[in-house]
Amino acid sequence: MEADFWHERWSKNEIGFHENEVNPLLVKHIKDLNLPEGSRIFLPLCGKTRDIAWLHSKGYKVVGIELSEHAVKQLFTELLGDEKLQPEVTQIDQHTLYTFENIEVYVGDFFKLSKQQLGKIDAVYDRASLVALPDTMRTQYAQHLLEITQGVPQLLITLEYDQSVIKGPPFSISDAMIKNYYQNDFNITELERISEKLKGKVDADNVVWQLLPKR
Ligand SMILES: C[S@@+](CC[C@H](N)C(=O)[O-])C[C@H]1O[C@@H](n2cnc3c(N)ncnc32)[C@H](O)[C@@H]1O
């Protein structure tokens, strides 16, 4: 999906993907990454997810990137509540960086974020990011993610359903696709599968994956 699609979704508030509660699968499975305290976790295509606040409350450093500045402003408003608290806003090359305590969120294009800009990451948490992109962009997404994070452990939440019933996003991701994107670099384990009715139309599985580096 191109940038205009997402900007329109945010401007019309058509954000059915946004969850009003912390994702319970994150809460349940973050331990499966065996991360040391204070690890720095990257959330690509982060929207205004409440998972950022939860990870921060657990003592993790959090870095996100999101195309929509509208979304990032909402994220910090919801996070800080009190208007006296404001994130620091700086311009770095093509991205705008919003920072508050140990939370950093870049506004801009994930595909233009460099390894140097991102800095050292200890883990990736991808919920609804890989599934947001069409087939043609997903290989590029996985390659760029690997390049800028250096293949650190990843907690990945995808959806699997009959793509002929509804067209994405979110797109259906099969086991074979996950292997295609990541099996050269990771040992891949399916941790859990939970069924839901997607958009009230099709049975879908939420699938939680643990990706641990092979090296
Ligand atoms: C399906 S939403 C998921 C958001 C978040 N991960 C969550 O769990 O709520 C996908 C998000 O990715 C953003 N996005 C899409 N393409 C992007 C890109 N190239 N760079 C940065 N963000 C992007 C969209 O604006 C949207 O907020």
Side-chain angles (χ1 to χ4, degrees), residues 1 19 21 23 41 50 58 74-75 83 87 97 102 105-106 111 118-119 122 127 140-141 145 154 170 177 192 212:
M1 305 334 274
E19 298 178 321
E21 304 296 332
N23 191 296
I41 303 183
R50 294 187 186 263
K58 295 293 162 196
Q74 285 182 28
L75 187 156
E83 284 188 8
L97 176 61
N102 283 328
V105 181
Y106 287 93
F111 293 99
L118 182 61
D122 300 304
R127 183 258 158 195
Q140 196 197 346
Y141 165 87
L145 185 60
Q154 179 172 171
M177 289 175 189
E192 185 164 357
L212 297 179

Side-chain angles (χ1 to χ4, degrees), residues 1 6-7 10 17-19 44-49 51 65-68 71 108-111 127-129 131-133 137:
M1 305 334 274
W6 293 108
H7 287 305
W10 279 103
F17 53 80
H18 177 69
E19 298 178 321
L45 283 59
C46 64
K48 58 168 187 169
T49 177
D51 298 344
I65 181 158
E66 165 55 48
L67 212 45
S68 164
D109 186 355
F110 163 80
F111 293 99
R127 183 258 158 195
S129 309
V131 303
L133 300 171
M137 295 175 82

